[in-house]
Every structure is written in structure tokens, then in C-alpha cells.
Amino acid sequence: MTDEPGTGPPAAEEFEVPTSWLPGAGAYAEIDEDAHIEGALILSIGGAQQSHVDMAHPDRVFYEYLQRIAHVIDLLSTPGAPLRVLHLGAGALTLVRYVQATRPGSSQVAVDLEADLIALVLAEMPLPDGTACEIIIGDAADVVLEQADGAFDAVVLDIFAGADAPAHLTSADFAAHLLRVCADDGVVLVNVGDDPPLTFARAQSRQLASLAVASAVLTEAGMVDGSRAGNVIVAARRSAWPDAWTTALLAAGPHPAAVLAGPARAAFEQPGGS
């Protein structure tokens, strides 16, 4: 005996993928479910995955480079104490959510050029209740110029993508302003995506090192020799880099981790260095 048409079991409810056209990027943004993590959502732009958010557990960060940034933020001030954080490049506001989850009461600012992207993210991935985050639509360089000296405990720049990085956000002048708006005991964190031999990442690290009192490079250990593509995090400070931070970040991972400070960082910055 067979089912008559229309009398079989109902089909599983499909997730309707929210989509928005981004004029600045010239591409569509879409938010889809993570097939492997229940309740998690993935933001893609132009078909490339950009951000991952675990809506039920915002203290869980999926992408490795964001984990490295989050682990540095964990080391600031007293554990759990509120921070002042500036996010340049908002994406799906993954780090905003992480800071609020791990340091309730933090005061945050997130900057992005794409108003339609922010509208989509806030509509489909609302920020947790109690999040204090000012959203600014504008150019990161213009917004940084308007900030007061020492206004933030952490400044996160996540707009870089190798040779495609906006040129005005790669200059020494802009890097100096990132350090200017960072507190004396805070940290500037710059994500640099690059391809072998990591020429751009090495140059960006050299530039920040020349301006900061201390800096370090965080990445996956297999990338240090420049043979692999991926993300390099440059961390810069207006005060000394604590040795204890290197130990803690190596232990925190994700593994295998490399935390290059002092001579090791200087060696990495040389063309073909490792």
C-alpha cells in the first residue's frame, strides 16, 4: 500500500537563509545554519565564510585566529572585569558577544562601512541582552581619528586580507593612531591574512614594532616559516610585553601555537624569516 499524494510524512522544515546585498562589497551577505553545531550561525559574504556565532554560547569562539585574539583579551586587567573595546571591522559581532559574555558590563564600539551588513546581523543575530555596544557606520580611519587618547583597553583591527587590505589602513600613521587610542596597559590586536611567504604580515609586524613599546606575533606554529597561508595576529602595546602572557597564550592555544616576542618576533619580521 502506498501513500496517496500529499499524505506522506511532512518534510523537515528548511532554514530560510536571510540575505542582503552589500553595495560596498559588491556581493551578497547571507546567514546560514552551521550543519555541525546546533544553534550556531555562519555569516558569508560573496560565498566566503566570514564569521561564526554560537548564539547559545557566545563565549565559544570557533575560528582559530579569533580564539587567539580572545585569549589576549582574557589577559587584560582583572579576569572578568569590564573592558573598553574598539572593534574595527564588525562582521557578525562575534568578539563583541565574547567580551560581553566573559566580561559583563564592558563598554564597546564596533565600526563597519556596510550599514546593510550590520542591519542584517542585528536582525538575524541579535546581541545578548545587556550588551553595551555603540555601532558606528563609517571608515575605520575616520572613526579612530575621533577617539580620545587612551580611550580603549583593547583595539581590534580585523579588516585586513593580504594584498586586498585597504591601503589607508596599512600605513604607519594609522597604526600610530591605533596605539594612541589604546590605554597604556592595553593592547592593539591586528589580524593579517596573508599568503606565502607572508611578506605583507612581516611588514605589518615590523611597522607596529617600530611604533610600539613592545609587540608580539601570534599564529599557528606551521605558519612561522612562511610556507603556508593563513592568519597572523600582531599584538602591540604601549608598555612592556609580559613574559607571563607568552606562557599563558602558548598554553591556551589553539594548538600548535606560536607566540613570538623579542628576538623571535624580530626574526619573523625579516624577509624569509622564521
Side-chain angles (χ1 to χ4, degrees):
M1 180 177 179
T2 59
D3 290 327
E4 295 181 6
T7 63
E13 184 178 347
E14 294 185 1
F15 178 77
E16 184 176 346
V17 179
T19 303
S20 179
W21 173 255
L22 306 182
Y28 281 99
E30 61 182 29
I31 295 174
D32 205 353
E33 291 180 318
D34 186 325
H36 305 289
I37 303 176
E38 184 176 358
L41 299 173
I42 298 172
L43 168 68
S44 298
I45 298 177
Q49 293 185 1
Q50 299 289 331
S51 301
H52 183 283
V53 175
D54 189 332
M55 295 295 289
H57 304 281
D59 58 326
R60 298 178 184 173
V61 176
F62 183 77
Y63 292 151
E64 289 193 355
Y65 86 90
L66 282 180
Q67 290 180 39
R68 298 187 198 283
I69 291 175
H71 291 153
V72 176
I73 293 174
D74 289 343
L75 297 173
L76 291 171
S77 185
T78 304
L83 296 175
R84 302 164 300 163
V85 185
L86 174 62
H87 306 265
L88 302 172
L93 302 167
T94 304
L95 277 179
V96 171
R97 303 168 199 273
Y98 177 84
V99 170
Q100 173 60 21
T102 58
R103 294 173 178 267
S106 292
S107 175
Q108 304 187 71
V109 177
V111 181
D112 205 281
L113 272 175
E114 296 281 3
D116 292 324
L117 172 62
I118 297 300
L120 175 68
V121 167
L122 292 177
E124 304 298 333
M125 304 175 172
L127 289 173
D129 291 343
T131 302
C133 183
E134 178 186 3
I135 306 292
I136 299 177
I137 304 301
D139 189 295
D142 295 334
V143 174
V144 168
L145 284 176
E146 299 170 355
Q147 306 307 309
D149 294 0
F152 300 97
D153 302 301
V155 178
V156 181
L157 177 62
D158 190 8
I159 306 178
F160 287 101
D164 296 326
H168 67 297
L169 302 184
T170 69
S171 70
D173 183 66
F174 180 66
H177 278 292
L178 296 181
L179 287 162
R180 176 185 63 79
V181 303
C182 185
D184 287 342
D185 57 352
V187 64
V188 172
L189 295 156
V190 178
N191 172 43
V192 187
D194 203 5
D195 297 319
L198 306 184
T199 301
F200 178 65
R202 298 183 201 279
Q204 287 294 294
S205 182
R206 283 196 304 273
Q207 179 168 272
L208 272 166
S210 72
L211 298 167
V213 171
S215 65
V217 168
L218 289 69
T219 190
E220 195 270 328
M223 282 191 61
V224 174
D225 66 0
S227 62
R228 294 170 54 181
N231 295 81
V232 172
I233 307 302
V234 183
R237 284 171 52 85
R238 295 173 59 184
S239 56
W241 179 267
D243 291 340
W245 281 24
T246 299
T247 302
L249 293 169
L250 284 171
H255 302 293
V259 180
L260 310 177
R265 188 217 73 239
F268 170 80
E269 292 168 353
Q270 300 307 307
S274 60

